[in-house]
Amino acid sequence: MKPLFPVISLLALALANPVFAAAEHDSHHPAGSGAASVKAAASEGTVKKIDKAAGKITIKHGPLANLGMPPMTMAFRVSDPAMLDHVRAGEKVSFTAENVGDALTVTALEPAK
């Protein structure tokens, strides 16, 4: 039984190493950055409110996979306030939201087709 112990110990270490490496890799990134690694894709939603003065838009949306968010209604900053001139409340839109400087921001916005 003694000769088997070193083999089992080495096998356990070899199997545990990738687990520790993955955990260590994730610990070097700020919280929430794992979701940012998913490519930002267009999402669908309905505009609930536009606040041009604040540069914000409130959208009722489905899941945002790249941000790890479930469906909800929320306000976003917009990367370019001119985007707000092309949509209106009640309109269905296609948009891309990303975490920009720790603020959820719509980076692309257009009426849904």
Side-chain angles (χ1 to χ4, degrees), residues 24-48:
E24 181 180 324
H25 176 72
D26 289 342
S27 70
H28 293 294
H29 297 287
S33 66
S37 66
V38 176
K39 184 176 178 183
S43 300
E44 302 295 319
T46 302
V47 176
K48 293 299 190 179

Side-chain angles (χ1 to χ4, degrees), residues 46-50 57-58 84 87-93:
T46 302
V47 176
K48 293 299 190 179
K49 181 180 174 184
I50 295 172
I57 185 168
T58 302
L84 300 176
V87 296
R88 63 182 189 275
E91 188 172 24
K92 293 197 181 292
V93 293

Side-chain angles (χ1 to χ4, degrees), residues 6-88:
V7 173
I8 292 173
S9 297
L10 286 174
L11 183 60
L13 285 174
L15 292 175
N17 241 355
V19 172
F20 290 126
E24 181 180 324
H25 176 72
D26 289 342
S27 70
H28 293 294
H29 297 287
S33 66
S37 66
V38 176
K39 184 176 178 183
S43 300
E44 302 295 319
T46 302
V47 176
K48 293 299 190 179
K49 181 180 174 184
I50 295 172
D51 184 346
K52 289 183 183 181
K56 293 187 177 188
I57 185 168
T58 302
I59 302 173
K60 179 179 181 182
H61 61 80
L64 304 179
N66 63 310
L67 297 172
M69 295 181 69
M72 66 178 74
T73 300
M74 65 176 295
F76 296 91
R77 283 183 11 194
V78 291
S79 60
D80 179 5
M83 288 191 280
L84 300 176
D85 295 333
H86 305 288
V87 296
R88 63 182 189 275

